[in-house]
Amino acid sequence: MEDKLSMYISAYRKGHSTQHVLIRMIEDWKKSLDDDKLVGAVLMDLSKAFDCIPHDLLIAKLSAYGFDKTSLKLIFSYLKGRRQCVKINDKKSKYMTIKAGVPQGSILGPILFNLFINDLYYFFETANLYGFADDNTLSHAADTLDELTSTLSKESGIALKWLNDNKMIANPSKFQAIILSKSKTPIITSIQIGSKTIVTKESVILLGIEIDFKLKFESHVNNLCVKAGGQLNSLFRFKKFLSLDSRKLSVNSFILSNFSYCPLVWHFSNKTSSNKIESIQKRAHKFLNSGLDNSSNLHSTMEIKRFRTLAIEIYKTVNDLNPTYIRDIFNLPMNRTSKRLINLESKRFKSVKFGRNSLRILGPILWNSLPANAKNLSSLNHFKRFIQNWGTSNCPHLKKFYSYISSIK
């Protein structure tokens, strides 16, 4: 089944996540911006994507992918003949037969959805598609604004045609668009998508992350801090009623969890945003007050925790536990003759903002500063145990890492 899917389909697949999709997209954008190009993106809005899949077309696609007749008959019988009604209090509507859609909440539903949408990834000529389930973003980099808007308009038209031909409901009036450049001011222009004109914005929201035209993530981080700060205020009011274990559980569940979703995407937020995050952690430390042991999650800064997350992602990448496309960010040497995982290739960059401040530059620096025996650990769990102690006080590997960073400033 896996070999039939595009490597860029990330939803409902082992080892794939929203963070991987966003990392690929942001790193592609930063590389293009570092090369002095303009970058544009169109975020497509789909309505009830799972409910719109026509059964006959789905079966036809499965047949094209090589499913035998017995399997097709089984899947067809699984989809056809389902009925549903609406219940309000003790009143029920008449039962009606479902003519389209895959059962949500089922094991087969997400798999069938991925197979149905798979061929969309092969229709575009120049733009890249970044998708997770029914969230799909078209992006392109160009030398001029006219070339960029023209390409996005053309490729969005291809996407709309595919969606219409496949009976998916797209709403161009709800599409979002953004253009990024090295300019300090946003580029506000229009992109023609079908019969609709879409005006670009200073920021867009994709997969729960607010992305601004400067890639500073200032507003996103600020919203996280406001939410976490409000939750901390509430916890302080009940502190005297909570045991230490309850306080620890509350901090990890309600406070720190705000910063655990896609942290590598917004890692390079500005210094002000970073200080706000660290301030939240200090307040959380104050909430716990006493009784902390040395293994407490609060003894490490939030920045160190993100470095640990990055190290784990690199370990998974070089051990083929991550999506294939992440290898384009963290490259092993081409002349590698041993299975031992020594160093990653360092990459060149032009600017600080979009070059040095990127995972493709930071990742190899972090990885190459780790001891060889850690990089060659036999399992992910063993590596996680090692990295959990990385970055503690007087850690020689941390000092080496910061030394490497200083050398490229």
Side-chain angles (χ1 to χ4, degrees), residues 187-308:
I187 297 176
I188 305 298
T189 186
S190 59
I191 301 174
Q192 193 67 29
I193 302 178
S195 60
K196 301 291 183 181
T197 300
I198 308 300
V199 178
T200 58
K201 300 179 178 180
E202 294 186 26
S203 67
V204 294
I205 295 177
L206 176 63
L207 296 172
I209 302 291
E210 184 175 352
I211 304 171
D212 60 277
F213 76 98
K214 294 182 180 179
L215 294 183
K216 285 188 173 181
F217 298 97
E218 186 174 359
S219 178
H220 179 75
V221 173
N222 184 64
N223 289 335
L224 291 179
C225 291
V226 168
K227 181 180 179 182
Q231 291 167 331
L232 258 178
N233 291 339
S234 298
L235 287 176
F236 267 108
R237 289 196 288 269
F238 296 99
K239 179 180 177 180
K240 63 181 179 180
F241 302 108
L242 300 174
S243 65
L244 176 60
D245 286 339
S246 296
R247 295 201 300 273
K248 285 183 179 180
L249 181 62
S250 299
V251 165
N252 286 313
S253 300
F254 296 109
I255 311 306
L256 300 186
S257 62
N258 288 289
F259 306 101
S260 63
Y261 177 68
C262 299
L264 298 182
V265 176
W266 45 264
H267 171 73
F268 295 100
S269 54
N270 59 31
K271 188 65 176 177
T272 300
S273 297
S274 181
N275 289 339
K276 287 181 180 179
I277 297 173
E278 299 301 339
S279 177
I280 290 292
Q281 167 145 293
K282 288 179 181 178
R283 288 188 60 208
H285 197 288
K286 183 179 179 181
F287 170 74
L288 291 179
N289 194 18
S290 61
L292 289 174
D293 54 45
N294 290 329
S295 63
S296 171
N297 212 22
L298 294 178
H299 278 287
S300 301
T301 66
M302 299 297 281
E303 182 183 50
I304 293 295
K305 291 172 187 174
R306 294 196 297 276
F307 288 148
R308 290 172 181 166

Side-chain angles (χ1 to χ4, degrees), residues 1-6 12-14 16:
M1 185 76 69
E2 286 292 309
D3 61 336
K4 301 181 187 300
L5 294 177
S6 165
Y12 319 116
R13 300 178 77 176
K14 183 178 180 180
H16 294 60

